[in-house]
Amino acid sequence: MAKRVLIIGAGISGLSAGCYACMNGYEVEIYEAHRIPGGLCTSWKRGDYVIDGCISWLLGSGPAHPYYRIYEELGAIQGRTIYDFDLFATFVGRDGRALHFYTDVDRFEAHLKELAPADSGAAHKLCALTRRLARFAWGVGEAPELMSGLDRLRILARPRQMRDLVAAEAMTMTDLGAWFGDPFLRDAITNVFGDPAMNALALVMTIGPMSLGAAGFPLGGSLEFARAIEKRFTDLGGRIRYRSRVEAVMESRGRVEGVRLVGGEEVRADHVISASDLRSSLFSLLDGSRIDPVHQELLDAGRVYAPVVMVNYGVDMDLASDLACLGTTYELEEPLDIAGRRVRYFGIKNFCYDPSAAPAGKSVATVMLSTDWSYWEELLRDRDAYNGEKSKIAELCREQIE
């Protein structure tokens, strides 16, 4: 008789775990509090427009990357058109100069040198690093606890890539920008993500795979991507119970027994996988007594990205002439106070590369602004003030776009 596995959460990790458990002969059931799959990998409709809340690019969208095989096994890629970007991002300074982050690394290097000939050495250094790391990825199955001796030898056999990886991982975007003497290039590279403290790997290990056609956008968007994996899971015999929130993992003498749902229903199982976040898994689903020192360090000192305000507009015009993965960031003439912060750089992107996002001749335009959780927590005490601030931000962003 097949052993039974219960999975908490039908996000991408929960669906994927369910698929592989089914492939290996387990009886699998997923419990999901929402009514749709995907978790954070989601999109939603507003009138004729689809607002995408997750995927900007999919690492492993092409055969040049080892993750591609995983997406094939999960049924996420088959029959799906991938849009490969020519531009990762554009940054426009107050003087009108523009830096285009081309995904063709040779073109990107030539562009950097053209903008600032004196920085040719820094341009070559950045692009050479990007080329060397373009094909780097932890191999499928190389989770540290699953590595064999041969797996470890393979990693040691690529010492230059490992040195590059360690060096890039130790740098922020501010550090990367400091390679350049030209103030505009330094500013553009530092702020392309809107977060100067972002790890430099975010740039070099995104443009690199994009240059190989291995980090594009799956047309149809995030929710359809999740639904493809959901279909693969159910085709394999798995079951999903939506609107079923798990309250606790049941255990006895240190062994799992199953889960208890909100409402009191208890479901027995041989194994339980929590595809929830770390804090919820340890302190809500379990009793908080099993804290590995590594987990405690992550909870106490791990860097949490700043929350964002995401503002979306259905636009009655075609913006397809200005396509880039992250869109275009503009240095403002005068800083603005938006979402509790002083904003010097204003970024806007559109989804015109995906025909499912908007009717023909129209566009979805998106603005994302870093903010502070405490700012909104305080506002939430007064619902009118909270809603008023959201309306104010929407109007300020509209004015900037126009």
Side-chain angles (χ1 to χ4, degrees):
M1 183 177 176
K3 288 192 173 182
R4 192 175 193 203
V5 176
L6 302 182
I7 298 174
I8 302 168
I12 299 300
S13 58
L15 292 169
S16 301
C19 287
Y20 283 111
C22 287
M23 291 178 206
N24 284 279
Y26 291 91
E27 178 190 337
V28 188
E29 193 163 45
I30 297 176
Y31 291 82
E32 167 58 48
H34 202 359
R35 57 181 174 79
I36 55 174
L40 295 177
C41 184
T42 195
S43 52
W44 56 93
K45 290 206 72 171
R46 287 294 182 272
D48 293 331
Y49 298 89
V50 175
I51 310 303
D52 203 291
C54 183
I55 299 174
S56 293
W57 67 90
L58 182 68
L59 187 62
S61 66
H65 198 281
Y67 295 170
Y68 183 77
R69 178 166 70 82
I70 297 177
Y71 294 131
E72 282 190 311
E73 291 175 346
L74 294 173
I77 291 293
Q78 294 89 325
R80 190 168 301 281
T81 301
I82 303 296
Y83 179 87
D84 290 311
F85 296 94
D86 294 323
L87 268 176
F88 177 57
T90 293
F91 184 96
V92 180
R94 280 181 295 177
D95 61 1
R97 294 174 76 194
L99 173 58
H100 302 290
F101 291 77
Y102 293 109
T103 59
D104 179 327
V105 184
D106 293 341
R107 187 180 181 188
F108 184 38
E109 181 174 348
H111 179 53
L112 287 167
K113 292 177 178 178
E114 180 184 11
L115 287 171
D119 280 323
S120 292
H124 178 72
K125 183 180 177 182
L126 170 58
C127 293
L129 177 65
T130 302
R131 291 186 191 97
R132 290 196 300 270
L133 287 175
R135 294 185 181 274
F136 182 89
W138 295 111
V140 176
E142 285 186 5
E145 66 273 19
L146 300 178
M147 281 186 184
S148 66
L150 184 59
D151 289 330
R152 297 178 189 277
L153 284 174
R154 288 195 187 104
I155 292 175
L156 293 174
R158 42 188 179 181
R160 179 60 188 272
Q161 282 189 322
M162 291 303 297
R163 288 198 301 271
D164 287 336
L165 186 72
V166 171
E169 193 173 27
M171 290 191 298
T172 65
M173 293 303 296
T174 298
D175 299 327
L176 197 61
W179 287 5
F180 293 82
D182 181 85
F184 169 68
L185 293 190
R186 184 168 60 244
D187 202 30
I189 290 169
T190 298
N191 293 288
V192 64
F193 288 105
D195 181 1
M198 181 80 76
N199 193 278
L201 283 175
L203 181 67
V204 297
M205 291 194 72
T206 301
I207 290 182
M210 282 184 169
S211 72
L212 304 174
F217 181 84
L219 298 189
S222 298
L223 181 56
E224 291 309 306
F225 180 79
R227 288 197 188 280
I229 304 177
E230 175 198 41
K231 182 178 185 305
R232 172 66 167 152
F233 172 66
T234 56
D235 287 349
L236 286 165
R239 298 183 299 277
I240 304 180
R241 287 180 58 177
Y242 287 111
R243 299 186 185 277
S244 299
R245 184 180 294 276
V246 174
E247 182 177 64
V249 173
M250 300 187 301
E251 56 178 313
S252 177
R253 298 179 183 178
R255 292 190 60 84
V256 69
E257 290 191 330
V259 300
R260 182 172 64 252
L261 306 182
V262 171
E265 180 185 353
E266 296 183 350
V267 186
R268 304 289 165 174
D270 300 288
H271 305 283
V272 174
I273 297 172
S274 174
S276 178
D277 65 274
L278 180 64
R279 184 176 293 278
S280 295
S281 297
L282 294 174
F283 292 99
S284 297
L285 300 175
L286 295 171
D287 62 8
S289 64
R290 293 173 184 77
I291 307 295
D292 185 280
V294 173
H295 295 156
Q296 191 63 59
E297 182 181 357
L298 285 170
L299 291 169
D300 291 343
R303 179 171 181 259
V304 178
Y305 287 114
V308 297
V309 175
M310 183 179 182
V311 192
N312 300 279
Y313 304 86
V315 181
D316 189 13
M317 62 185 295
D318 190 345
L319 301 175
S321 61
D322 186 21
L323 293 181
C325 176
L326 288 186
T328 301
T329 296
Y330 298 89
E331 184 180 13
L332 298 175
E333 290 287 342
E334 296 291 338
L336 290 172
D337 292 318
I338 305 180
R341 289 189 175 188
R342 176 140 287 202
V343 174
R344 287 182 57 208
Y345 306 98
F346 187 86
I348 175 173
K349 69 172 288 185
N350 67 72
F351 289 82
C352 291
Y353 44 82
D354 188 347
S356 71
K362 300 186 180 184
S363 309
V364 171
T366 295
V367 175
M368 296 184 73
L369 301 161
S370 291
T371 188
D372 295 301
W373 178 262
S374 58
Y375 177 78
W376 292 97
E377 194 171 38
E378 180 68 25
L379 274 176
L380 194 57
R381 298 178 182 179
D382 182 340
R383 177 59 72 171
D384 289 339
Y386 179 85
N387 290 333
E389 182 68 5
K390 290 206 299 182
S391 297
K392 174 186 171 184
I393 290 169
E395 181 63 19
L396 280 170
C397 290
R398 183 188 63 77
E399 289 174 359
Q400 290 304 311
I401 291 170
E402 291 182 347

